[in-house]
Amino acid sequence: MTAIKYRTTDVDGFRHLLSRGGFADAPKLLLLHGFPTSSHMFRDLIPLLADRFHIVAPDLPGFGKSGMPGSGSTFDSIAETIDRFTEIVGFDRYTVYVFDYGAPTGFRLAVKHPNGSRRSSPKWQCL
C-alpha cells in the first residue's frame, strides 16, 4: 500500500490541509468528506486506491485542520473554494466522490460548474 502524504496549501489566503496519494500521471480522484468530519475519514481508502488514482482529499473550510471561513460563508462559497482548490493542486479534469450527508458542497460544485465554466469541456465527473 502507498503511504498518504499530508500537506497544507493556500487557496486565496485560506489554509487547507489535504491528504494525497498516488501518482501525478494517474487519473485524478477528488474525495470530499461529509459534515461534520474531515479528510481523515479517507485514511484507509486512499492507500487502497493510490495504485490506480492520483487522489486528493481536502479538509473542507472550517473542518479538520483547514482554516475557519468568515461568518458570511455559504455552501456556494465553499464550493467555489473547492473549485479554486482543484485548480491550485492541478486537477484540471477529475472524478469526484462526495461522502456527504445531503451533498450540499458536492452538489453545488457540480451545479455551479456543470460544463467547467472556465473551460470548454467538463472538468469533473461524478462517481
Side-chain angles (χ1 to χ4, degrees), residues 87-118:
E87 294 172 0
I88 290 170
V89 298
F91 272 34
D92 54 345
R93 291 184 58 91
Y94 57 91
T95 298
V96 61
Y97 173 80
V98 181
F99 188 89
D100 201 351
Y101 312 103
T105 301
F107 176 74
R108 282 168 174 79
L109 182 63
V111 170
K112 195 153 185 83
H113 302 284
N115 294 313
S117 63
R118 289 183 288 279

Side-chain angles (χ1 to χ4, degrees), residues 14 24 33-34 39 41-43 46 56-58 60 65 67-68 71 73 85 89 93 99-100 109 112-113 117 124:
F14 194 77
H33 64 80
S39 62
M41 70 180 292
F42 298 117
R43 69 190 174 281
I46 292 172
V56 170
L60 295 177
K65 297 195 185 254
M68 185 62 67
S71 62
S73 182
F85 169 84
V89 298
R93 291 184 58 91
F99 188 89
D100 201 351
L109 182 63
K112 195 153 185 83
H113 302 284
S117 63
W124 57 267

Side-chain angles (χ1 to χ4, degrees), residues 20-125:
R20 181 173 241 154
F23 302 96
D25 59 347
K28 293 167 178 38
L29 177 60
L30 176 69
L31 302 176
L32 296 179
H33 64 80
F35 293 93
T37 63
S38 71
S39 62
H40 183 69
M41 70 180 292
F42 298 117
R43 69 190 174 281
D44 295 326
L45 181 61
I46 292 172
L48 296 174
L49 298 175
D51 62 335
R52 291 171 278 170
F53 297 97
H54 177 196
I55 302 164
V56 170
D59 281 347
L60 295 177
F63 294 89
K65 297 195 185 254
S66 286
M68 185 62 67
S71 62
S73 182
T74 64
F75 287 123
D76 287 331
S77 64
I78 292 172
E80 290 170 10
T81 298
I82 295 301
D83 184 53
R84 180 74 178 115
F85 169 84
T86 62
E87 294 172 0
I88 290 170
V89 298
F91 272 34
D92 54 345
R93 291 184 58 91
Y94 57 91
T95 298
V96 61
Y97 173 80
V98 181
F99 188 89
D100 201 351
Y101 312 103
T105 301
F107 176 74
R108 282 168 174 79
L109 182 63
V111 170
K112 195 153 185 83
H113 302 284
N115 294 313
S117 63
R118 289 183 288 279
R119 295 156 194 84
S120 60
S121 62
K123 70 175 192 173
W124 57 267
Q125 70 180 41

